[in-house]
């Protein structure tokens, strides 16, 4: 029986898509790869040439409230998000066990699935590798990524980081107990297992770039930052003809999209985007996403195109700027394209990435999503669009960063680590 590599990833598109790039690279090197995730991403997984196995829990059912605070998951964060996260994790636990068949020889784990996957690895007596998309280990360099991007000083940052880990331990406590009982393992708390992994110096490969987050000097050996893992798309993929026609019909447009955020708020946001684009004298492409972003009466807006999912790698380089929620993958995709960003962070780690882009000089000051409900929101967004597109400096900074990103090989580093683990 061939031993397969099982990648597990859970959450929104941005939490899952990068692992299609990892899996495709491993498969190209001759490994058999399975990606276990939610049914909604089955087509994405199979298109990349990977075997799909389902994980339960619908990420849309546990999505954050876009009208809520922009930093709810960390110390001092909102109880409602904690409840949603715990419910999501409880559903995930049993599905992780179902996905790990007897043919599993190595587990690759996203940040969401790692605290559960460690128990599977123990029960199956197989190696594992943690592959988070955001920094999670405490450091004096910055506060936990879910705390909004503001530094609390070196001591405060480390203390908040330790507290953040304890909150995560608590979120996983019930799922851990149920999973260990099902697997026939002796009881152990998430905190005990986390400390055991830290003491063993387990390798952790982080799928983001030091262009945005330099590796903290106070991290233990084995915590490495290897570069982004880009979502897989077909080598011959092209933009739809309607998009090409729109791009050819005038100057580069601004991309506006909120990914898996702001579900059900699309019509209001679409109207707001159109008003801001008109005031800034710019053309625009609205990506519908979970919000259902759309320009009403589309024939009245020939300078605005609404579209569904297209690879950011194909579209972003053709734009004047990108406006988005600043999830880790979208933030990196805008930088990779060498275009300025207008960050509109909604929740969780998004304010952190928005702050990083702005500090790099490749983005305007962030506009927190709840502020798009204010009476002057269209004027404020129009002003940010003008800032992003009028002067050359932000584009120059983004272009310099894009050259650095192009020199990195994040999936190649994962491949090396996998081949070390497999002997």
């Amino acid at each position: 029986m061939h031993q397969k590599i099982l990648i597990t990833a859970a959450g929104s598109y941005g939490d899952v898509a990068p692992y299609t790039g990892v899996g495709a690279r491993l498969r190209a090197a001759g490994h058999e790869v399975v990606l276990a995730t939610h049914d909604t991403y089955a087509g994405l997984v199979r298109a990349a040439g990977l075997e799909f196995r389902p994980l339960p829990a619908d990420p849309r059912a546990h999505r954050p409230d876009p009208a809520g605070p922009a930093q709810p998951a960390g110390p001092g964060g909102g109880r409602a998000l904690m409840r949603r996260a715990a419910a999501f994790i409880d559903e995930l636990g049993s599905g992780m066990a179902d996905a790990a068949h007897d043919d599993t020889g190595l587990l690759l784990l996203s940040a969401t699935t790692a605290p559960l996957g460690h128990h599977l690895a123990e029960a199956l007596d197989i190696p594992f590798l943690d592959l988070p998309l955001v920094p999670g280990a405490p450091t004096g360099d910055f506060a936990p990524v879910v705390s909004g991007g503001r530094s609390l000083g070196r001591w405060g940052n480390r203390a908040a980081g330790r507290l953040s880990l304890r909150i995560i331990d608590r979120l996983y406590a019930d799922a851990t107990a149920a999973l260990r009982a099902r697997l026939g393992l002796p009881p152990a708390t998430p905190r005990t297992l986390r400390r055991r992994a830290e003491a063993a110096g387990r390798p952790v490969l982080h799928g983001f770039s030091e262009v945005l987050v330099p590796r903290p000097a106070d991290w233990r050996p084995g915590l490495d930052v290897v570069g982004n893992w880009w979502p897989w798309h077909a080598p011959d993929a092209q933009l739809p003809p309607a998009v090409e026609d729109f791009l050819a019909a005038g100057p580069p447009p601004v991309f506006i999209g909120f990914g898996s955020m702001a579900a059900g708020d699309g019509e209001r946001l679409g109207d707001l985007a159109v008003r801001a684009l008109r005031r800034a004298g710019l053309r625009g492409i609205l990506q519908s996403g979970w919000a259902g972003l759309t320009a009403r009466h589309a024939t009245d807006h020939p300078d605005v195109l609404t579209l569904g999912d297209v690879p950011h790698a194909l579209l972003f380089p053709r734009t004047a700027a990108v406006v988005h929620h600043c999830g880790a993958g979208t933030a990196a995709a805008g930088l990779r394209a060498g275009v300025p960003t207008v960050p509109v962070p909604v929740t969780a780690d998004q304010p952190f990435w928005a702050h990083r882009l702005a500090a790099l000089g490749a983005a305007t000051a962030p506009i927190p999503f709840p502020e798009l409900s204010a009476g002057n929101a269209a004027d404020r967004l129009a002003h940010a669009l003008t800032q992003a597109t009028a002067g050359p400096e932000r584009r120059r900074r983004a272009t310099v960063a894009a050259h650095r990103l192009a020199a990195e090989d994040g999936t190649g580093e994962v491949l090396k680590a996998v081949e070390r683990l497999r002997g």
Side-chain angles (χ1 to χ4, degrees), residues 143-200:
V145 296
V146 291
S147 66
R150 296 177 192 85
S151 177
L152 307 170
R154 294 198 67 81
W155 183 89
N157 289 341
R158 275 192 290 268
R162 290 191 293 270
L163 177 58
S164 183
L165 291 181
R166 289 201 291 276
I167 290 170
I168 292 168
D169 290 342
R170 199 159 70 236
L171 284 174
Y172 281 85
D174 290 347
T176 292
L179 184 56
R180 290 186 72 83
R182 174 176 169 177
L183 296 171
L185 296 171
T189 66
R191 187 177 186 182
T192 300
L193 289 162
R194 175 168 54 78
R195 291 187 158 183
R196 193 184 298 167
E198 286 169 5

Coordinates of all heavy atoms in Angstrom, one line a residue, residues 143-200:
A143 N 2.3 42.1 18.5 CA 1.3 41.4 19.2 C 0.6 40.3 18.4 O 0.9 40.2 17.2 CB 0.2 42.5 19.6
P144 N -0.2 39.4 19.0 CA -0.8 38.4 18.2 C -1.5 38.9 17.0 O -2.1 40.0 17.1 CB -1.8 37.7 19.2 CG -1.2 38.1 20.6 CD -0.6 39.4 20.4
V145 N -1.5 38.2 15.9 CA -2.1 38.7 14.7 C -3.6 39.0 14.8 O -4.1 39.9 14.0 CB -1.8 37.8 13.5 CG1 -0.4 37.6 13.2 CG2 -2.5 36.4 13.7
V146 N -4.3 38.4 15.7 CA -5.7 38.7 15.9 C -6.0 39.9 16.8 O -7.1 40.1 17.1 CB -6.5 37.4 16.4 CG1 -6.5 36.4 15.3 CG2 -5.9 36.9 17.7
S147 N -5.0 40.6 17.2 CA -5.2 41.7 18.1 C -5.2 43.0 17.5 O -5.2 44.1 18.1 CB -4.2 41.7 19.3 OG -2.9 41.9 18.8
G148 N -5.2 43.1 16.1 CA -5.4 44.3 15.4 C -4.1 45.0 14.9 O -4.2 46.0 14.3
G149 N -2.9 44.4 15.1 CA -1.7 45.0 14.5 C -1.0 46.0 15.3 O 0.0 46.5 14.9
R150 N -1.6 46.4 16.5 CA -0.9 47.4 17.3 C 0.1 46.8 18.3 O -0.3 45.8 19.0 CB -2.0 48.2 18.1 CG -2.9 49.0 17.2 CD -4.0 49.7 18.0 NE -5.0 50.2 17.1 CZ -6.1 49.5 16.7 NH1 -6.2 48.2 17.1 NH2 -7.0 50.0 15.9
S151 N 1.3 47.3 18.4 CA 2.3 46.8 19.3 C 1.9 47.1 20.7 O 1.4 48.3 21.0 CB 3.6 47.3 18.9 OG 4.6 46.8 19.9
L152 N 2.2 46.2 21.6 CA 2.0 46.5 23.1 C 3.3 46.6 23.8 O 3.3 46.5 25.0 CB 1.1 45.3 23.7 CG -0.2 45.0 23.0 CD1 -0.7 43.7 23.5 CD2 -1.2 46.1 23.1
G153 N 4.4 46.8 23.0 CA 5.7 46.8 23.6 C 6.2 45.4 23.7 O 5.4 44.4 23.6
R154 N 7.5 45.2 23.8 CA 8.0 43.8 23.7 C 7.5 42.9 24.8 O 7.1 41.7 24.5 CB 9.6 43.8 23.8 CG 10.2 44.5 22.5 CD 11.7 44.2 22.4 NE 11.9 42.8 22.0 CZ 11.7 42.2 20.8 NH1 11.4 43.0 19.8 NH2 11.9 41.0 20.6
W155 N 7.4 43.3 26.0 CA 6.9 42.5 27.1 C 5.4 42.2 26.9 O 5.0 41.1 27.0 CB 7.2 43.1 28.5 CG 6.7 42.2 29.6 CD1 7.4 41.3 30.3 CD2 5.4 42.2 30.2 NE1 6.6 40.7 31.2 CE2 5.4 41.2 31.2 CE3 4.2 42.9 29.9 CZ2 4.2 40.9 31.9 CZ3 3.1 42.6 30.7 CH2 3.1 41.6 31.7
G156 N 4.7 43.3 26.6 CA 3.3 43.1 26.4 C 2.9 42.2 25.2 O 2.0 41.5 25.2
N157 N 3.7 42.4 24.1 CA 3.5 41.5 22.9 C 3.6 40.0 23.3 O 2.8 39.2 22.9 CB 4.4 41.9 21.8 CG 4.1 43.2 21.2 OD1 3.0 43.7 21.3 ND2 5.1 43.8 20.5
R158 N 4.7 39.7 24.0 CA 5.0 38.3 24.4 C 3.9 37.8 25.3 O 3.4 36.7 25.2 CB 6.3 38.2 25.1 CG 7.5 38.0 24.1 CD 8.7 37.6 24.8 NE 9.3 38.6 25.6 CZ 10.2 39.5 25.2 NH1 10.6 39.4 23.9 NH2 10.6 40.4 26.0
A159 N 3.5 38.6 26.3 CA 2.4 38.2 27.2 C 1.1 38.0 26.5 O 0.4 37.0 26.7 CB 2.2 39.3 28.3
A160 N 0.8 38.9 25.6 CA -0.5 38.7 24.8 C -0.4 37.5 23.9 O -1.4 36.8 23.7 CB -0.7 40.0 23.9
G161 N 0.8 37.2 23.4 CA 1.0 36.0 22.6 C 0.7 34.7 23.4 O 0.1 33.8 22.9
R162 N 1.2 34.7 24.6 CA 1.0 33.5 25.5 C -0.5 33.4 25.8 O -1.0 32.3 25.8 CB 1.9 33.6 26.7 CG 3.4 33.4 26.5 CD 4.2 33.3 27.7 NE 4.1 34.5 28.6 CZ 5.0 35.5 28.5 NH1 6.0 35.4 27.6 NH2 5.0 36.5 29.3
L163 N -1.1 34.5 26.1 CA -2.5 34.5 26.4 C -3.3 34.0 25.2 O -4.3 33.2 25.3 CB -3.0 35.9 26.8 CG -4.5 36.0 27.1 CD1 -5.0 35.1 28.2 CD2 -4.8 37.5 27.4
S164 N -2.9 34.4 24.0 CA -3.6 34.0 22.8 C -3.6 32.5 22.6 O -4.5 31.8 22.2 CB -3.0 34.7 21.6 OG -3.6 34.4 20.4
L165 N -2.4 31.9 22.9 CA -2.3 30.4 22.8 C -3.2 29.7 23.8 O -3.8 28.7 23.5 CB -0.8 30.0 23.0 CG 0.2 30.4 21.9 CD1 1.6 29.9 22.3 CD2 -0.2 29.9 20.6
R166 N -3.3 30.3 25.0 CA -4.2 29.7 26.0 C -5.7 29.8 25.6 O -6.4 28.8 25.8 CB -4.0 30.3 27.4 CG -2.7 30.0 28.0 CD -2.7 30.2 29.5 NE -2.7 31.6 29.9 CZ -1.7 32.4 30.0 NH1 -0.5 31.9 29.7 NH2 -1.8 33.7 30.3
I167 N -6.0 30.9 24.9 CA -7.4 31.0 24.4 C -7.6 29.9 23.3 O -8.7 29.2 23.3 CB -7.6 32.4 23.8 CG1 -7.7 33.4 24.9 CG2 -8.9 32.4 23.0 CD1 -7.6 34.9 24.4
I168 N -6.6 29.7 22.4 CA -6.8 28.6 21.4 C -6.9 27.3 22.1 O -7.7 26.4 21.7 CB -5.6 28.7 20.4 CG1 -5.6 30.0 19.6 CG2 -5.6 27.5 19.5 CD1 -4.4 30.3 18.8
D169 N -6.1 27.0 23.1 CA -6.2 25.8 23.8 C -7.6 25.5 24.4 O -8.1 24.4 24.3 CB -5.2 25.8 25.0 CG -3.7 25.7 24.6 OD1 -3.5 25.3 23.5 OD2 -2.9 26.0 25.5
R170 N -8.2 26.6 24.9 CA -9.5 26.5 25.4 C -10.5 26.2 24.3 O -11.5 25.4 24.5 CB -9.9 27.8 26.2 CG -11.1 27.6 27.1 CD -11.1 28.7 28.2 NE -11.4 30.0 27.7 CZ -10.7 31.1 27.8 NH1 -9.5 31.0 28.4 NH2 -11.1 32.2 27.3
L171 N -10.4 26.8 23.1 CA -11.3 26.6 22.0 C -11.3 25.1 21.6 O -12.3 24.6 21.2 CB -10.9 27.5 20.8 CG -11.2 28.9 20.9 CD1 -10.6 29.6 19.7 CD2 -12.7 29.1 20.9
Y172 N -10.1 24.5 21.7 CA -9.9 23.1 21.2 C -10.1 22.1 22.3 O -10.0 20.9 22.0 CB -8.5 22.9 20.6 CG -8.4 23.5 19.2 CD1 -8.2 24.8 19.0 CD2 -8.6 22.7 18.1 CE1 -8.1 25.4 17.7 CE2 -8.6 23.2 16.8 CZ -8.3 24.6 16.6 OH -8.2 25.1 15.3
A173 N -10.4 22.5 23.5 CA -10.4 21.5 24.6 C -11.5 20.4 24.5 O -11.2 19.2 24.6 CB -10.7 22.3 26.0
D174 N -12.7 20.8 24.1 CA -13.8 19.8 24.0 C -13.5 18.9 22.8 O -13.7 17.6 22.9 CB -15.1 20.4 23.9 CG -15.6 21.1 25.1 OD1 -15.0 20.9 26.2 OD2 -16.6 21.9 25.1
A175 N -13.1 19.4 21.7 CA -12.8 18.6 20.5 C -11.7 17.7 20.8 O -11.7 16.5 20.3 CB -12.6 19.5 19.3
T176 N -10.7 18.2 21.5 CA -9.5 17.3 21.8 C -9.9 16.1 22.7 O -9.5 15.0 22.4 CB -8.4 18.2 22.6 OG1 -7.9 19.1 21.7 CG2 -7.3 17.3 23.1
A177 N -10.7 16.4 23.7 CA -11.1 15.3 24.6 C -11.9 14.2 23.8 O -11.7 13.0 23.9 CB -12.0 15.9 25.7
A178 N -12.8 14.7 22.9 CA -13.7 13.8 22.1 C -12.8 13.0 21.2 O -13.0 11.8 21.0 CB -14.8 14.5 21.4
L179 N -11.9 13.7 20.5 CA -11.0 13.0 19.5 C -10.1 12.0 20.1 O -9.9 10.9 19.6 CB -10.2 14.0 18.7 CG -9.4 13.5 17.5 CD1 -10.2 12.8 16.5 CD2 -8.7 14.7 16.9
R180 N -9.5 12.3 21.2 CA -8.6 11.4 21.9 C -9.3 10.2 22.4 O -8.8 9.0 22.3 CB -7.8 12.1 23.0 CG -6.8 13.1 22.5 CD -5.9 13.7 23.6 NE -5.0 12.7 24.2 CZ -3.8 12.4 23.6 NH1 -3.4 13.0 22.5 NH2 -3.0 11.5 24.2
A181 N -10.5 10.4 22.9 CA -11.3 9.2 23.3 C -11.7 8.3 22.2 O -11.5 7.1 22.2 CB -12.6 9.7 24.0
R182 N -12.0 8.9 21.0 CA -12.4 8.1 19.8 C -11.1 7.3 19.3 O -11.3 6.2 18.9 CB -12.9 9.0 18.7 CG -13.1 8.3 17.4 CD -13.7 9.1 16.4 NE -13.6 8.4 15.1 CZ -14.1 8.9 14.0 NH1 -14.7 10.0 13.9 NH2 -14.0 8.2 12.8
L183 N -10.0 7.9 19.4 CA -8.7 7.3 18.9 C -8.1 6.3 19.9 O -7.1 5.7 19.6 CB -7.7 8.4 18.6 CG -8.1 9.3 17.4 CD1 -7.1 10.5 17.3 CD2 -8.2 8.6 16.1
G184 N -8.7 6.2 21.1 CA -8.1 5.3 22.1 C -6.9 5.9 22.8 O -6.1 5.1 23.3
L185 N -6.7 7.2 22.8 CA -5.5 7.8 23.4 C -5.8 8.2 24.8 O -7.0 8.5 25.1 CB -5.1 9.0 22.6 CG -4.6 8.7 21.2 CD1 -4.4 10.1 20.4 CD2 -3.3 7.9 21.1
P186 N -4.8 8.2 25.7 CA -5.1 8.7 27.1 C -5.4 10.1 27.1 O -5.0 10.9 26.2 CB -3.7 8.4 27.8 CG -2.7 8.3 26.7 CD -3.4 7.8 25.5
P187 N -6.2 10.6 28.1 CA -6.5 12.0 28.1 C -5.3 12.9 28.2 O -4.3 12.6 28.8 CB -7.4 12.1 29.4 CG -7.8 10.8 29.7 CD -6.8 9.8 29.2
A188 N -5.4 14.0 27.5 CA -4.3 15.0 27.5 C -4.9 16.4 27.1 O -5.7 16.4 26.1 CB -3.1 14.6 26.6
T189 N -4.5 17.4 27.7 CA -5.0 18.7 27.3 C -4.3 19.3 26.1 O -3.1 19.0 25.9 CB -4.9 19.7 28.5 OG1 -3.5 20.0 28.7 CG2 -5.6 19.2 29.8
P190 N -4.9 20.2 25.4 CA -4.2 20.9 24.3 C -2.9 21.6 24.8 O -1.9 21.5 24.1 CB -5.2 21.9 23.8 CG -6.6 21.3 24.1 CD -6.3 20.6 25.4
R191 N -3.0 22.2 25.9 CA -1.8 22.9 26.4 C -0.6 21.9 26.7 O 0.5 22.2 26.3 CB -2.1 23.6 27.8 CG -1.0 24.5 28.3 CD -1.4 25.2 29.5 NE -0.4 26.2 29.9 CZ -0.5 26.9 31.0 NH1 -1.6 26.8 31.8 NH2 0.4 27.8 31.4
T192 N -0.9 20.7 27.2 CA 0.1 19.7 27.5 C 0.8 19.3 26.2 O 2.0 19.2 26.0 CB -0.5 18.5 28.1 OG1 -1.0 18.9 29.4 CG2 0.6 17.4 28.4
L193 N -0.1 19.0 25.2 CA 0.5 18.6 23.9 C 1.2 19.7 23.2 O 2.3 19.4 22.5 CB -0.7 18.1 23.0 CG -1.2 16.7 23.5 CD1 -2.6 16.5 22.9 CD2 -0.3 15.6 23.1
R194 N 0.8 20.9 23.3 CA 1.5 22.0 22.7 C 2.9 22.2 23.3 O 3.9 22.4 22.6 CB 0.6 23.3 22.8 CG 1.4 24.6 22.3 CD 0.4 25.8 22.2 NE -0.3 26.0 23.5 CZ 0.2 26.7 24.5 NH1 1.5 27.1 24.5 NH2 -0.5 26.9 25.6
R195 N 2.9 22.1 24.6 CA 4.2 22.3 25.3 C 5.2 21.1 24.9 O 6.4 21.3 24.8 CB 4.0 22.4 26.8 CG 3.3 23.7 27.2 CD 3.3 23.9 28.6 NE 3.1 25.3 29.0 CZ 3.1 25.8 30.2 NH1 3.2 25.0 31.2 NH2 2.9 27.1 30.4
R196 N 4.6 19.9 24.7 CA 5.4 18.8 24.4 C 6.0 19.0 23.0 O 7.2 18.7 22.8 CB 4.5 17.5 24.4 CG 5.3 16.2 24.3 CD 4.3 15.0 24.2 NE 3.4 14.9 25.3 CZ 2.3 14.1 25.4 NH1 2.0 13.5 24.3 NH2 1.6 14.1 26.5
A197 N 5.2 19.5 22.0 CA 5.7 19.8 20.7 C 6.8 20.9 20.7 O 7.8 20.8 20.0 CB 4.6 20.2 19.8
E198 N 6.6 21.9 21.5 CA 7.6 23.0 21.6 C 8.9 22.5 22.2 O 10.0 22.8 21.7 CB 7.0 24.1 22.5 CG 5.9 24.9 21.9 CD 5.2 25.9 22.8 OE1 5.6 25.9 24.0 OE2 4.3 26.5 22.4
A199 N 8.8 21.6 23.2 CA 10.0 21.1 23.9 C 10.8 20.2 22.9 O 12.0 20.1 23.0 CB 9.6 20.3 25.1
A200 N 10.0 19.5 22.0 CA 10.7 18.6 21.0 C 11.3 19.4 19.9 O 12.0 18.8 19.0 CB 9.7 17.6 20.5

